[in-house]
Amino acid sequence: MSELKNTYNKIANDWHEDHKEDMWWREGVDHLISLLPPHASILDVGCGAGHKSKYFSDRRLQVTGVDFSEGMIAVASKQVPTAHFQVLDMYKLDSLSETFDCVFAQASLLHIPKRDIPLVLGKLLQRLKPDGLLYVAVKEVREGDPEEKIEIENDYGYEYQRFFSYFTKDEVHTALQVAGLEIVKSEVIQPGKTRWVQAIARKK
């Protein structure tokens, strides 16, 4: 994970600029917000440069964002001064004392090896209030492709690499249900080349 952290520190500013106009997530996030009470508290896990944190904050939700990349947190803190940000690895979420109405993990669990998903989901649930909502979004595995791999990319004019895990919708359902969550909504969407599995689940 240290290599992945170094990568995100390296690409933080470029990644922020590249993803500012992404909107594939808006419909699912709007549905999530509709299920939450006014001024709900949200923990944005793997918040990156804070794009979704800003979206939540603009809608008067109380946002705490965590990411293991100091570079990403520096960008997010400038972009969303109304939110609280902290450099924190999702493996160490139990160091937080607060619990939240919602834990939001979009495009973050996809960097976790599949063998560790039950452990990390347990960390997320520790931060979730009873009846709270967990949102997850991961990339769907393509037929014939490996379930885990290191992607080498150079779309910012320099080379970098990232580890990814890829999932089926059934895998996401099973992981959430085994963790003791009740699935509220799930779907696979394809805004471009990537197919995303996104799900909302409630803590029983």
Side-chain angles (χ1 to χ4, degrees):
M1 296 297 286
S2 62
E3 290 185 7
L4 184 66
K5 177 178 177 178
N6 291 338
T7 290
Y8 275 114
N9 281 334
K10 179 179 180 179
I11 69 174
N13 288 302
D14 289 324
W15 191 94
H16 165 63
E17 292 297 324
D18 188 40
H19 289 79
K20 282 196 301 187
E21 304 303 321
D22 286 356
M23 290 298 167
W24 65 265
W25 48 267
R26 179 170 287 186
E27 184 176 347
V29 169
D30 284 344
H31 182 71
L32 172 67
I33 293 172
S34 75
L35 300 174
L36 294 171
H39 310 294
S41 58
I42 294 186
L43 178 64
D44 187 356
V45 178
C47 64
H51 299 108
K52 266 65 77 178
S53 291
K54 185 177 190 309
Y55 194 80
F56 289 132
S57 186
D58 287 347
R59 283 146 186 82
R60 300 187 178 182
L61 301 178
Q62 309 305 307
V63 183
T64 297
V66 296
D67 199 286
F68 69 170
S69 164
E70 296 90 349
M72 287 291 192
I73 289 295
V75 175
S77 297
K78 292 179 181 178
Q79 300 302 316
V80 201
T82 53
H84 171 70
F85 292 101
Q86 181 177 342
V87 177
L88 186 65
D89 192 300
M90 68 179 77
Y91 282 89
K92 299 178 181 179
L93 287 176
D94 45 7
S95 67
L96 296 176
S97 59
E98 307 98 311
T99 55
F100 300 83
D101 296 306
C102 176
V103 173
F104 182 80
Q106 186 181 90
S108 51
L109 290 176
L110 49 70
H111 290 311
I112 300 298
K114 285 190 171 184
R115 67 177 183 272
D116 289 349
I117 290 296
L119 170 66
V120 175
L121 274 178
K123 303 282 187 182
L124 300 184
L125 294 188
Q126 289 175 4
R127 306 275 61 84
L128 195 57
K129 294 178 181 179
D131 293 320
L133 294 175
L134 171 68
Y135 169 104
V136 300
V138 292
K139 293 183 178 183
E140 185 182 48
V141 64
R142 294 176 180 148
E143 186 175 353
D145 280 1
E147 296 182 358
E148 298 181 338
K149 64 179 177 179
I150 294 175
E151 296 272 9
I152 298 175
E153 302 161 277
N154 59 5
D155 46 339
Y156 300 141
Y158 50 86
E159 188 173 283
Y160 60 96
Q161 61 183 36
R162 294 182 292 170
F163 170 86
F164 286 98
S165 292
Y166 300 91
F167 298 82
T168 66
K169 185 178 178 183
D170 286 344
E171 281 183 304
V172 173
H173 277 204
T174 298
L176 295 175
Q177 290 168 339
V178 168
L181 292 155
E182 178 184 10
I183 295 170
V184 175
K185 179 181 175 66
S186 69
E187 61 185 342
V188 178
I189 61 172
Q190 186 172 3
K193 294 180 180 179
T194 301
R195 287 171 59 87
W196 290 91
V197 182
Q198 59 178 358
I200 300 169
R202 188 179 301 278
K203 185 177 182 180
K204 298 180 182 178

